[in-house]
Amino acid sequence: MAEHRHLATSSELLYRASDPEYFRWLAHVMPAAACSRPIRLRVDAQWHDTTGAPIGPPERVTDDMPDGVLYVACKNRRASVCPACAQTYRADTYHLIHAGLVGGKGVPDTVVNHPCLFATFAAPSFGPVHSVSKPGKPRLCRPRRTPETCPHGVRLACFDIHSSDDPMAGEPFCLDCYDYHHQAVWNLHAGELWRRTTIAAHRRLADLARPLGVKVRLSYAKVAEYQHRGAIHFHAMIRLDGIDPDDSDRVIAPPAAITPEHVRLALADAVASTVFSTDTHPRNRAGWPIYWGEQFDVRTVHLSPGDVDDVGQITSTAVAGYLAKYATKGTEDAGHVSKRLTSESLWFYTERDTHQARQLQACWYLGERPLACTTPLERDRWRDGRGTLPGWGKLQRWAHMLGYGGHFTTKSRRYSTTLTALREVRKAFQRGQQPLAVELGLTGIQDQDLTDDPSPVNLTYLIEGIGWRTTGDAALANTAAAMARERRRIAREEVMTMFNPA
Ligand SMILES: [Zn+2]
Ligand SMILES: [Zn+2]
Ligand SMILES: [Zn+2]
């Protein structure tokens, strides 16, 4: 079988590489070449005259291209799905967070002087778990000379040191004691808890600033990550900004009267005081309490010259890199599944009674629509929720994410540039600064023609398929991308030696 597959690949390779059009094909797929599963698009153009009336039938403009399609990278965030696109996402996230710290990409570079804090917001305990030691700080898991015993007879003590790749890391001592329902519901509401906390922090900060006669605001970028136990937690970069009374969108330096200590106080206060109860649930009429765990960690970020990592200091580069790394992690790192569950696949994943199985089951079970939901209104409310509270049905839809359905990288409006803006810049660069019309060979069309009304051309995108046509194509494209990357790296090094001769 393996032999067959290998033969098929090499004949595919030969077939493609001996094609006289090979180099045209390679140049054509280059923008998506590193992607594991690019999207193949057919594009239809409908031409219009100046009055906006269509001229003739739509024209399939991709027909003359190699393979008759346009290849577009999948842009998936998760390294387990597409390593190359996850790498791009990671780089973009890095630039987004970094620009918010030191300026650049449309953010004034004066932000480097704003007080900045790096904070970690964690979930409360849902039951004792085997704890993970931080790298370089080995710690006994749960040393107890006379340990308590849980109602199921499990001794709650452990004298091991668990590194983060230890399978015991994050495992509950007793599956029957662990509150899986609370964790699932907490993950579902984590985004709402964050929202309420930022509002509370802003209020608290305003209270501190008012007697000093100043106004400030917090800007942030945050990244969500799974802990080993499966609860979501947030890392956030929080920056203090001043408010320009004439232009609220401008990012200006905060008044010196407000110190990082004020911000820390406001955050700690907000974290300690923000608590709410979920909607009622058929399995828990009172709802679940949603609040933060006790381990709220906040540190000041020092922007040392040139961003050199000083011992014991967090620098902007280190923090931006750290946050970006987490943005591309999925639930897989907490030992979970990457696809949306169905009632069939749930059975497959929960055949054995494990921590993972119990987490998936809790989401599925609590997200199941009760028979009592009969009216369409009740069904919609169950599925999507109303107002700010999410519907319980989302727990089933997001069971593979352990209940968390929020974004993995978010930022407040003024923190820095957006991922979309960065993507647009890169897209233009990849196309050699050409607008899509030129890329499609629709030369003679001005860029604004595509945006101004009435537009002479409307483009319709049809997905022909996902992934490379053959494993041979995948190998050729991925190799070409790797070689291009290597050439860029060498060119960069040559430029560096030119300017910094040894
Ligand atoms: Zn991809
Ligand atoms: Zn342990
Ligand atoms: Zn127990």
Side-chain angles (χ1 to χ4, degrees), residues 35-37 73-76 82 85:
C35 181
S36 314
R37 26 161 257 168
C74 76
K75 301 194 182 78
N76 198 290
C82 181
C85 292

Side-chain angles (χ1 to χ4, degrees), residues 30 39 45 165 171 181 193 280 362 367 466 479 491:
M30 216 48 201
I39 299 154
D165 53 358
E171 284 287 307
H181 287 187
L193 180 60
T280 174
I466 292 175
T479 309

Side-chain angles (χ1 to χ4, degrees), residues 129-132 139-142 157-162 166 168-171 173:
V129 296
H130 291 273
S131 64
V132 191
R139 204 169 54 85
L140 293 184
C141 173
R142 194 184 169 92
C158 174
F159 295 87
D160 290 342
I161 296 166
H162 305 293
D166 184 334
M168 285 312 285
E171 284 287 307
F173 279 83

Side-chain angles (χ1 to χ4, degrees), residues 318-379:
V319 172
Y322 178 74
L323 287 180
K325 189 177 108 223
Y326 284 119
T328 54
K329 285 169 95 179
T331 34
E332 298 90 334
D333 295 284
H336 296 283
V337 292
S338 59
K339 280 203 194 81
R340 187 173 286 189
L341 292 181
T342 61
S343 42
E344 288 79 38
S345 66
L346 176 76
W347 180 83
F348 171 78
Y349 285 114
T350 57
E351 212 182 0
R352 282 176 50 234
D353 186 21
T354 59
H355 181 46
Q356 166 181 331
R358 296 246 186 153
Q359 292 181 81
L360 298 174
Q361 274 162 341
C363 291
W364 197 264
Y365 173 73
L366 293 176
E368 196 107 73
R369 201 174 63 212
L371 291 168
C373 275
T374 44
T375 72
L377 188 77
E378 278 171 334
R379 278 198 295 267

Side-chain angles (χ1 to χ4, degrees), residues 19 62 76 118 122 181-183 211 213 220 240 248 317 469 486:
D19 184 339
T62 39
N76 198 290
F118 180 64
H181 287 187
H182 198 185
Q183 182 186 295
Y220 67 84
L240 183 68
S248 66
T317 312
R469 285 243 167 92
E486 183 61 11

